[in-house]
Amino acid sequence: MELRGKLILVLGSLSVGVLVLNLSLLSNDALSHVRYAKADHTASGKFAHIDVNERNLQIRNSRMLLGRPVNKLTAQSENHPPTEYEHIRRKIDNGVTELWYYMSAQLDELMEDLDHNGRERVEEILENAGHQKRSILTDIYNLSRHDNHDKWRKKESEDLKQLVKKRLNYLQNPENCFEAKKIVCNVYDDICGFSCNAHHVANCLLVAYATNRTFVLESRGWQYSIEGWESVFQPLSDTCTTIGDVEAIEWTDPRSRKFKKAKAVRLPPFTVNPSPHFYPLAIPKDLSERLIRIHGFPFVWWFGQFMTYVMRPNDAMAYELELATLRLGFQHPIVGVHVRRTDKLLNEAEFHSIEEYMVHVEEFYLKLERREEVTVKRVYLATDDDKLLAEAEEKYPDYEFLTDTSISKAAALESRYSEFGLKGIVMDVHLLSQCDFIVCTMSSTVCRNSYALMQDLHVDASNYVHSLDSIYFFAGQNAHHHVALYPHEAQSPEEISLQPGDLISVTYHHLDDHNNHWDGYTRGRLDQMSGLYPSYKAESKVEIAEMPNYKEVDEM
């Protein structure tokens, strides 16, 4: 019991220190007061008083994460809340979640050393703490609905989406296709399934946008359908669908004379060499301040716009999606669960039981019930295992599971690469993206693509997903960086030490020994050393890149 007492002391210091700091920054007083103190848990286990200098350092680091210069906090305008207000509001939400991950992981580990009575007591602590966590998260949710900015957030989100769509329509429909410079891509049968190809196609459009070139997709003869991409999706252009007699050069540095002169450039799948500055996880400079203010994960919103554009269903597919929605009784609230099985378990993912997914489904509904009455707990189950539905219904009779077993059967290896299989996976990705929350594995492109598509349907759906393995990543991405906010002294050989301002390269591979998830720690690399550090002591750095600003489109 002494161990438990020490653990609760640690948790108390963490929660008080971090939450007091961020709540103070969130308050109006934090925008004008010049002094305050917080308690932080040091490596020695003692409490330290932190004065105005460290507070200002924390603000500086936060602003560096936002990709903005270090100066006075932005004053609130009549039209929108300060960027710092939005950032800190989301940071508090994330901080509560990270605290819960740490506490529950530590208590679970502690239970292994306790007797029966001790384990029961720890389980009681976890249950009560879970209630308190949900109450705090509900209060944070309500704060964003009652701070007089909700209407602005919705309008700003919609304005940004329409602006990007307008630019893409302009880019993809040049007045003179012959004269237009182009990025050309293929679909790949030998190395990619549907979701992998969708990811590649969306990335090709992103690169076309960043280089001010029209994107041409060569997809006829695809293993899913001889008609290619347009068998289920709208054409990517109404005026320019071919490179004609031009011979496309292979990818080269976009800054080079060769690239700038080329009429057409072919983009390979996944990793490109050299990797340009605008490659994921970067967002465009001209939209960066607006994206950072409106969204908790600006890049996934940004990529979601390209994924949405390339996956616009054609009339026939839209009709089938509408019929499926009615046939399944797809209604809100609903949680999407994507379970990978079959060949994916050979080298891409680990096995996860249905119980592992349903823990997070139940947590979603427990939180939702604090905001509204829930009469039916629905789950949309997308899987390539046609036996999973029966297992789920038997183990969770209080839930209504929606699934199309014909899609599961079509996802089997022997029938996957067919037009029927294609429509099935398109339907799964579409319906997952329509859900209120997704539980999946980010090692899967089905999961990552559904999450990206979801962003087009909400103001900020950055935390509308829970992954059982990896954090979000983009195949072939440039480094994902965290910036340290607080000092940390390594407390074991597995950890690395941090100083505020340190730039850490985050490890995201889901098959690593530590998968960066859900125990309060993240794995990263700093100064050639790889190790763990407390997640709350660092934060993602938003990468910002120069891209065309398309002023001629904005003025139309």
Side-chain angles (χ1 to χ4, degrees), residues 61 64-65 481-485 501-504 537-539 541:
N61 289 334
M64 182 166 70
L65 300 177
H481 289 118
H482 276 184
V483 175
L485 296 175
D502 281 347
L503 196 64
I504 312 152
K537 290 192 174 184
E539 197 167 22
K541 181 179 185 294

Side-chain angles (χ1 to χ4, degrees), residues 335-518:
V335 177
V337 171
H338 176 238
V339 182
R340 303 177 82 191
R341 295 285 166 83
T342 63
D343 63 312
K344 298 299 181 181
L345 299 180
L346 297 177
N347 54 22
E348 291 186 35
E350 297 178 347
F351 178 89
H352 293 280
S353 67
I354 189 63
E355 288 86 353
E356 293 178 73
Y357 292 88
M358 291 303 293
V359 165
H360 305 289
V361 174
E362 179 66 14
E363 181 64 22
F364 169 84
Y365 279 113
L366 286 172
K367 286 192 290 188
L368 185 64
E369 286 170 346
R370 290 178 176 266
R371 305 199 302 260
E372 62 185 65
E373 181 182 4
V374 177
T375 56
V376 180
K377 295 188 290 187
R378 298 181 189 86
V379 175
Y380 178 71
L381 183 60
T383 181
D384 52 5
D385 182 352
D386 61 357
K387 298 180 177 61
L388 188 59
L389 174 62
E391 179 187 349
E393 289 179 330
E394 180 181 355
K395 291 180 176 178
Y396 299 94
D398 294 339
Y399 285 83
E400 180 179 305
F401 289 90
L402 313 181
T403 194
D404 188 333
T405 54
S406 66
I407 295 178
S408 299
K409 292 176 181 177
L413 287 173
E414 61 271 14
S415 56
R416 180 177 302 171
Y417 300 110
S418 64
E419 193 160 334
F420 181 68
L422 173 61
K423 291 179 178 179
I425 186 61
V426 170
M427 193 171 298
D428 266 349
V429 171
H430 170 78
L431 291 176
L432 284 169
S433 73
Q434 299 286 316
C435 291
D436 302 297
F437 191 78
I438 304 174
V439 185
C440 54
T441 51
M442 284 287 187
S443 58
S444 165
T445 47
V446 170
C447 171
R448 301 198 304 276
N449 290 350
S450 301
Y451 176 50
L453 286 167
M454 175 187 268
Q455 306 310 310
D456 193 56
L457 305 175
H458 304 272
V459 173
D460 182 0
S462 56
N463 62 354
Y464 288 12
V465 66
H466 186 91
S467 169
L468 296 185
D469 55 13
S470 176
I471 60 173
Y472 178 88
F473 66 93
F474 188 98
Q477 70 183 36
N478 289 331
H480 176 186
H481 289 118
H482 276 184
V483 175
L485 296 175
Y486 306 100
H488 177 68
E489 184 176 329
Q491 299 178 18
S492 75
E494 293 184 344
E495 296 187 16
I496 55 175
S497 297
L498 305 176
Q499 289 299 321
D502 281 347
L503 196 64
I504 312 152
S505 181
V506 179
T507 302
Y508 63 84
H509 199 284
H510 60 285
L511 296 179
D512 282 346
D513 292 337
H514 186 95
N515 298 334
N516 291 313
H517 63 285
W518 336 144

Side-chain angles (χ1 to χ4, degrees), residues 252-285:
T252 188
D253 189 339
R255 297 167 298 183
S256 68
R257 177 181 174 86
K258 182 179 180 182
F259 183 96
K260 292 175 180 178
K261 287 185 63 178
K263 293 285 289 183
V265 179
R266 190 173 299 277
L267 187 71
F270 314 128
T271 304
V272 296
N273 188 23
S275 182
H277 66 286
F278 55 74
Y279 219 59
L281 303 166
I283 60 173
K285 183 177 180 180

Side-chain angles (χ1 to χ4, degrees), residues 75-81 149 152:
Q76 180 176 346
S77 74
E78 295 180 359
N79 298 321
H80 61 72
H149 298 310
W152 173 85

